Amino acid sequence: MAIVEITSLHDEGIQVFSTLTEAQLRMTLEPKKGLFIAESPKVIRVALDAGWQPVALLCERKHIEGDARDIIERLHPDVPVYTGSRELLTQLTGYTLTRGVLCAMRRKPLPTVDSVISGARRIVVIQAVTDTTNIGAIFRSAAALGIDAVVLTRDTCDPLNRRAVRVSMGSVFLVPWTWIDDINTLRDKGFKTVAMALTDDSISLDDPRLRQEPHLAIIMGTEGDGLPKHTIQQADYTVRIPMAHGVDSLNVAAAAAVAFWELRSKK
């Protein structure tokens, strides 16, 4: 175990936790050296259990024999463990660490759409959702409520963004996911598409026809404008969640959880 005491914000090897932006972690270093940051012991354990490769750990001194002890014991001897005071680590990362532990991990090659949806009965399509908190929450609900896979359009934010990973509580490591270029190709794979949107001709989420469909792709749209008009027009179903007290819509993460539960597969 290589414990490295940080004494300066400019110490060699800690740039992954400080100066590299999310875009640099993802794009500049991809595909062979792409990294992401997992935050908090629980999330890091989920990632390790799912086979993701750590490249460096950053934690407060007290966590070396505390919350991070079991994680450190699982690391390869060549993986450095950087440590320092809480104050210095806050200056380094720009925020107070959640439970005082961060882990830089290697990105995996993304699977194809075909491999991700193979054998799936219920999948979610996330289109143009850019809020990382919502992405994390959707993944957490997807894992908990029986969604078999997640596919995301290219204008959606990265599920391995630090905040998205943390909000998901590691669920991004549990549900297969990848990017998709054309949602309509899902129909060629045997899925009926469900656009979650408020329109004059939308049907209720509890419409019995939906539960009878063997394969559904539930399309969730951006927080502000919702799904694009062309996505709604091309979908097999346009579906609304019945509302009370004059409320017209839910946050996309809340709406996703409701839809996942109601449309869950009868396995």
Side-chain angles (χ1 to χ4, degrees):
M1 173 174 59
I3 303 294
V4 181
E5 182 77 21
I6 299 171
T7 58
S8 166
L9 300 180
H10 306 290
D11 284 357
E12 186 177 356
I14 61 173
Q15 295 84 1
V16 65
F17 298 109
S18 58
T19 59
L20 293 183
T21 65
E22 291 282 354
Q24 289 171 324
L25 287 170
R26 177 187 175 192
M27 302 302 294
T28 304
L29 300 179
E30 273 187 346
K32 293 183 179 180
K33 295 184 179 180
L35 303 174
F36 68 92
I37 304 296
E39 181 181 356
S40 87
K42 181 175 181 178
V43 172
I44 295 168
R45 292 185 191 105
V46 174
L48 292 174
D49 290 344
W52 294 78
Q53 179 187 355
V55 298
L57 193 77
L58 176 71
C59 67
E60 294 178 51
R61 293 190 194 97
K62 66 180 181 180
H63 292 312
I64 292 177
E65 294 297 330
D67 287 350
R69 181 174 181 176
D70 64 305
I71 294 172
I72 293 172
E73 290 174 350
R74 297 175 64 175
L75 300 180
H76 188 277
D78 293 338
V79 176
V81 177
Y82 298 104
T83 189
S85 68
R86 185 177 183 84
E87 294 73 24
L88 181 61
L89 298 191
T90 298
Q91 292 179 45
L92 173 68
T93 60
Y95 51 87
T96 302
L97 302 188
T98 301
R99 301 292 299 279
V101 187
L102 295 178
C103 187
M105 309 192 93
R106 185 81 63 200
R107 287 175 180 262
K108 296 180 180 180
L110 283 175
T112 63
V113 172
D114 284 350
S115 64
V116 163
I117 67 174
S118 177
R121 295 173 61 83
R122 297 291 186 266
I123 68 173
V124 59
V125 181
I126 307 177
Q127 183 171 17
V129 176
T130 57
D131 184 275
T132 53
T133 298
N134 283 331
I135 290 294
I138 292 171
F139 264 88
R140 189 172 183 181
S141 293
L145 300 175
I147 295 298
D148 300 309
V150 179
V151 293
L152 310 98
T153 59
R154 302 281 181 176
D155 50 358
T156 296
C157 75
D158 179 22
L160 294 182
N161 172 282
R162 180 188 65 84
R163 183 166 178 80
V165 171
R166 179 166 65 84
V167 172
S168 81
M169 294 303 293
S171 295
V172 293
F173 309 124
L174 302 178
V175 183
W177 65 271
T178 195
W179 304 103
I180 190 169
D181 294 311
D182 185 357
I183 296 173
N184 290 320
T185 60
L186 294 172
R187 294 153 114 180
D188 300 332
K189 317 293 184 185
F191 285 86
K192 290 293 182 69
T193 53
V194 175
M196 298 299 299
L198 294 171
T199 65
D200 293 337
D201 59 350
S202 59
I203 64 174
S204 177
L205 181 63
D206 58 3
D207 190 300
R209 290 173 292 178
L210 297 171
R211 291 292 297 272
Q212 293 170 4
E213 291 286 358
H215 301 91
L216 287 178
I218 305 164
I219 311 172
M220 307 301 304
T222 184
E223 300 85 352
D225 299 329
L227 291 172
K229 186 175 181 180
H230 65 85
T231 297
I232 297 172
Q233 291 175 336
Q234 294 169 355
D236 295 298
Y237 297 100
T238 304
V239 176
R240 68 182 184 279
I241 298 173
M243 301 283 176
H245 298 291
V247 177
D248 62 354
S249 64
L250 294 173
N251 164 274
V252 64
V258 173
F260 297 164
W261 172 253
E262 181 64 31
L263 300 179
R264 64 194 184 280
S265 175
K266 295 179 180 180
K267 294 183 179 179

